[in-house]
Amino acid sequence: MITVIDSILNRITMYRLVLYELLFLVASACALGFFGVIAYSPAALLYSGGVIFFTAWIANEIFAYFFDAPSNPESTYLTALILVLIITPPHTLYDIAFLSIAIPAALLAVASKYVVAIHKKHIFNPAAFGVAGTALLLGSAASWWIGTPWMIPSVLVGGLLVVRKLRRFDLFFAYLAAFLVGLFAFNYQKSLYLIATITIPHALFYAPVFFFATVMLTEPLTMPHTKWLRVAYGALIGLLFVPQVHIGSWYLTPELALLFGNVFAYIVSPKEKLILTLLKKIRISHSVYEFVFANPYPLLFSAGQYLEWTLPHTSPDAQGHPAWREIL
């Protein structure tokens, strides 16, 4: 069974898999809303998606043009879908509370990929940056409404496939273990019975713990690449995710926990985006081509290090844009 699952996962890129998962979560939420299980109707969810998608798409086109930078539309779609799942859907067509967070959050999320970037590489998880920005600048916070017991089965079905695809169970379990240890540490004055029967179940099932761990924490571009740094990264964010963690009177939110983790990841594992210029394409055989690129970057490397390249094109299939790994 696992072999079959791995065979299917190997045919799909990470971006495309996460896209399918998020669409599945939105569809699941629409079904639950239709039957009145959750408080948001399918119309409200679809309207939320339309507003956020349109804002994110327009913003991405504008920033890509002015920064003269290549853009990955799938990345924009993922960011928009995550925002749909964490920002409270509107109650009416002109719900000011919704519009005042959805539009600025989508703008800030996309902007972070271009503006808050070093060597053309964004540092922060875009969706987390977007909702953190609206909370700090406008006082409009994300509700993370997906953190409900009714959504957990759908979250785990898709989320664990993503973790399996990326082979990041070390990160997932480090985060979860640190989160549980943090809960015990902040609730040590309670009896073990209360912690085990009330505190932990409530924290796991009425907060976006599993969605956060499988979708946002696992973003490859903002996590360290080596195993033990990933474990430290997951543990740090797991501790910061505990609801009682605060700095003075300032309590951390899920998005702030992730942003602090992103800073840690960049310090211990800095990355940059390199863009090569295609010089020529040589046909080797009927279905094999050789691509020759100009490389203006001097490379200093150790044996075993690698670079990952993506070749964008206008008609990606189910596997998305082709990518390959070059061992140095």
Side-chain angles (χ1 to χ4, degrees), residues 131-158:
V131 293
T134 58
L136 295 175
L137 299 176
L138 305 175
S140 301
S143 65
W144 293 83
W145 63 268
I146 193 171
T148 171
W150 296 106
M151 289 296 297
I152 286 179
S154 298
V155 168
L156 288 178
V157 167

Short mmCIF file of all heavy atoms in Angstrom, two decimals, residues 131-158:
data_model
loop_
_atom_site.label_atom_id
_atom_site.label_comp_id
_atom_site.label_asym_id
_atom_site.label_seq_id
_atom_site.Cartn_x
_atom_site.Cartn_y
_atom_site.Cartn_z
N VAL A 131 -1.11 37.76 7.35
CA VAL A 131 -2.05 37.92 8.47
C VAL A 131 -1.37 38.54 9.68
O VAL A 131 -2.01 39.24 10.47
CB VAL A 131 -2.71 36.57 8.84
CG1 VAL A 131 -3.62 36.11 7.73
CG2 VAL A 131 -1.68 35.50 9.17
N ALA A 132 -0.06 38.33 9.84
CA ALA A 132 0.66 39.00 10.93
C ALA A 132 0.68 40.50 10.67
O ALA A 132 0.53 41.32 11.60
CB ALA A 132 2.08 38.46 11.05
N GLY A 133 0.86 40.88 9.39
CA GLY A 133 0.88 42.30 9.05
C GLY A 133 -0.44 42.98 9.32
O GLY A 133 -0.48 44.10 9.87
N THR A 134 -1.55 42.34 8.97
CA THR A 134 -2.86 42.96 9.23
C THR A 134 -3.14 43.07 10.72
O THR A 134 -3.76 44.03 11.18
CB THR A 134 -3.99 42.17 8.55
OG1 THR A 134 -3.98 40.82 9.03
CG2 THR A 134 -3.81 42.16 7.05
N ALA A 135 -2.68 42.09 11.49
CA ALA A 135 -2.89 42.13 12.94
C ALA A 135 -2.09 43.27 13.58
O ALA A 135 -2.60 44.01 14.43
CB ALA A 135 -2.50 40.80 13.56
N LEU A 136 -0.83 43.42 13.16
CA LEU A 136 0.03 44.42 13.77
C LEU A 136 -0.27 45.83 13.27
O LEU A 136 -0.20 46.79 14.04
CB LEU A 136 1.50 44.08 13.50
CG LEU A 136 2.02 42.78 14.14
CD1 LEU A 136 3.44 42.50 13.68
CD2 LEU A 136 1.96 42.87 15.65
N LEU A 137 -0.61 45.97 11.99
CA LEU A 137 -0.81 47.29 11.40
C LEU A 137 -2.25 47.77 11.48
O LEU A 137 -2.51 48.97 11.64
CB LEU A 137 -0.35 47.28 9.94
CG LEU A 137 1.13 46.96 9.69
CD1 LEU A 137 1.40 46.89 8.19
CD2 LEU A 137 2.04 47.99 10.34
N LEU A 138 -3.20 46.84 11.34
CA LEU A 138 -4.61 47.23 11.23
C LEU A 138 -5.46 46.73 12.39
O LEU A 138 -6.62 47.09 12.50
CB LEU A 138 -5.20 46.70 9.91
CG LEU A 138 -4.46 47.12 8.63
CD1 LEU A 138 -5.08 46.45 7.42
CD2 LEU A 138 -4.49 48.64 8.47
N GLY A 139 -4.89 45.85 13.23
CA GLY A 139 -5.66 45.30 14.34
C GLY A 139 -6.68 44.26 13.91
O GLY A 139 -7.60 43.93 14.66
N SER A 140 -6.54 43.73 12.67
CA SER A 140 -7.46 42.70 12.16
C SER A 140 -6.74 41.37 12.14
O SER A 140 -5.82 41.16 11.34
CB SER A 140 -7.94 43.06 10.74
OG SER A 140 -8.59 44.30 10.73
N ALA A 141 -7.12 40.46 13.02
CA ALA A 141 -6.41 39.19 13.18
C ALA A 141 -7.14 38.05 12.50
O ALA A 141 -8.36 38.05 12.38
CB ALA A 141 -6.23 38.87 14.67
N ALA A 142 -6.36 37.07 12.04
CA ALA A 142 -6.93 35.86 11.46
C ALA A 142 -7.49 34.98 12.57
O ALA A 142 -6.90 34.88 13.65
CB ALA A 142 -5.87 35.11 10.67
N SER A 143 -8.59 34.31 12.29
CA SER A 143 -9.22 33.45 13.31
C SER A 143 -8.69 32.03 13.27
O SER A 143 -8.89 31.27 14.20
CB SER A 143 -10.74 33.42 13.09
OG SER A 143 -11.04 32.80 11.83
N TRP A 144 -8.03 31.63 12.15
CA TRP A 144 -7.59 30.25 11.96
C TRP A 144 -8.77 29.30 12.17
O TRP A 144 -8.70 28.31 12.89
CB TRP A 144 -6.45 29.90 12.91
CG TRP A 144 -5.19 30.66 12.63
CD1 TRP A 144 -4.89 31.93 13.05
CD2 TRP A 144 -4.06 30.22 11.86
NE1 TRP A 144 -3.64 32.31 12.58
CE2 TRP A 144 -3.12 31.28 11.85
CE3 TRP A 144 -3.76 29.04 11.19
CZ2 TRP A 144 -1.89 31.18 11.19
CZ3 TRP A 144 -2.55 28.94 10.53
CH2 TRP A 144 -1.63 30.00 10.53
N TRP A 145 -9.88 29.63 11.47
CA TRP A 145 -11.12 28.90 11.68
C TRP A 145 -11.03 27.42 11.31
O TRP A 145 -11.86 26.61 11.73
CB TRP A 145 -12.26 29.54 10.88
CG TRP A 145 -12.07 29.52 9.40
CD1 TRP A 145 -11.51 30.49 8.63
CD2 TRP A 145 -12.45 28.47 8.50
NE1 TRP A 145 -11.50 30.11 7.30
CE2 TRP A 145 -12.08 28.88 7.19
CE3 TRP A 145 -13.07 27.23 8.65
CZ2 TRP A 145 -12.30 28.09 6.06
CZ3 TRP A 145 -13.28 26.44 7.53
CH2 TRP A 145 -12.90 26.87 6.26
N ILE A 146 -10.02 27.05 10.53
CA ILE A 146 -9.88 25.64 10.16
C ILE A 146 -9.55 24.77 11.37
O ILE A 146 -9.68 23.55 11.32
CB ILE A 146 -8.79 25.48 9.08
CG1 ILE A 146 -8.88 24.07 8.46
CG2 ILE A 146 -7.40 25.77 9.65
CD1 ILE A 146 -8.00 23.88 7.25
N GLY A 147 -9.18 25.39 12.48
CA GLY A 147 -8.88 24.63 13.70
C GLY A 147 -10.14 24.18 14.40
O GLY A 147 -10.50 24.70 15.47
N THR A 148 -10.84 23.24 13.82
CA THR A 148 -12.05 22.68 14.40
C THR A 148 -12.01 21.16 14.26
O THR A 148 -11.45 20.65 13.27
CB THR A 148 -13.31 23.24 13.70
OG1 THR A 148 -14.47 22.53 14.14
CG2 THR A 148 -13.20 23.11 12.21
N PRO A 149 -12.56 20.42 15.21
CA PRO A 149 -12.52 18.95 15.11
C PRO A 149 -13.10 18.41 13.82
O PRO A 149 -12.66 17.37 13.32
CB PRO A 149 -13.34 18.50 16.33
CG PRO A 149 -13.27 19.64 17.29
CD PRO A 149 -13.20 20.88 16.44
N TRP A 150 -14.10 19.11 13.25
CA TRP A 150 -14.76 18.60 12.05
C TRP A 150 -13.84 18.59 10.84
O TRP A 150 -14.04 17.81 9.91
CB TRP A 150 -16.00 19.45 11.74
CG TRP A 150 -17.05 19.34 12.79
CD1 TRP A 150 -17.37 20.28 13.73
CD2 TRP A 150 -17.89 18.22 13.06
NE1 TRP A 150 -18.36 19.82 14.55
CE2 TRP A 150 -18.70 18.56 14.16
CE3 TRP A 150 -18.05 16.97 12.45
CZ2 TRP A 150 -19.65 17.68 14.67
CZ3 TRP A 150 -19.00 16.10 12.96
CH2 TRP A 150 -19.79 16.46 14.06
N MET A 151 -12.82 19.46 10.83
CA MET A 151 -11.91 19.54 9.69
C MET A 151 -10.68 18.66 9.86
O MET A 151 -9.94 18.45 8.89
CB MET A 151 -11.47 20.99 9.47
CG MET A 151 -12.54 21.91 8.92
SD MET A 151 -13.11 21.44 7.26
CE MET A 151 -11.62 21.65 6.30
N ILE A 152 -10.45 18.13 11.04
CA ILE A 152 -9.21 17.39 11.29
C ILE A 152 -9.05 16.15 10.39
O ILE A 152 -7.96 15.91 9.86
CB ILE A 152 -9.10 17.01 12.78
CG1 ILE A 152 -8.74 18.27 13.58
CG2 ILE A 152 -8.03 15.93 13.00
CD1 ILE A 152 -8.61 18.05 15.07
N PRO A 153 -10.09 15.34 10.18
CA PRO A 153 -9.90 14.18 9.28
C PRO A 153 -9.41 14.59 7.89
O PRO A 153 -8.48 13.98 7.34
CB PRO A 153 -11.29 13.54 9.22
CG PRO A 153 -11.92 13.92 10.51
CD PRO A 153 -11.43 15.31 10.79
N SER A 154 -10.00 15.62 7.32
CA SER A 154 -9.58 16.09 6.00
C SER A 154 -8.16 16.65 6.04
O SER A 154 -7.35 16.42 5.13
CB SER A 154 -10.54 17.17 5.48
OG SER A 154 -11.85 16.65 5.33
N VAL A 155 -7.85 17.38 7.11
CA VAL A 155 -6.51 17.96 7.26
C VAL A 155 -5.46 16.86 7.31
O VAL A 155 -4.40 16.95 6.66
CB VAL A 155 -6.44 18.84 8.51
CG1 VAL A 155 -4.99 19.20 8.84
CG2 VAL A 155 -7.27 20.11 8.33
N LEU A 156 -5.73 15.81 8.08
CA LEU A 156 -4.75 14.74 8.24
C LEU A 156 -4.60 13.90 6.97
O LEU A 156 -3.49 13.48 6.63
CB LEU A 156 -5.13 13.85 9.42
CG LEU A 156 -4.94 14.47 10.80
CD1 LEU A 156 -5.41 13.51 11.89
CD2 LEU A 156 -3.48 14.84 11.03
N VAL A 157 -5.71 13.67 6.26
CA VAL A 157 -5.63 12.86 5.04
C VAL A 157 -4.67 13.50 4.04
O VAL A 157 -3.75 12.86 3.52
CB VAL A 157 -7.03 12.69 4.40
CG1 VAL A 157 -6.91 12.15 2.99
CG2 VAL A 157 -7.87 11.74 5.25
N GLY A 158 -4.87 14.77 3.76
CA GLY A 158 -4.00 15.45 2.81
C GLY A 158 -2.66 15.85 3.39
O GLY A 158 -1.62 15.75 2.73
#
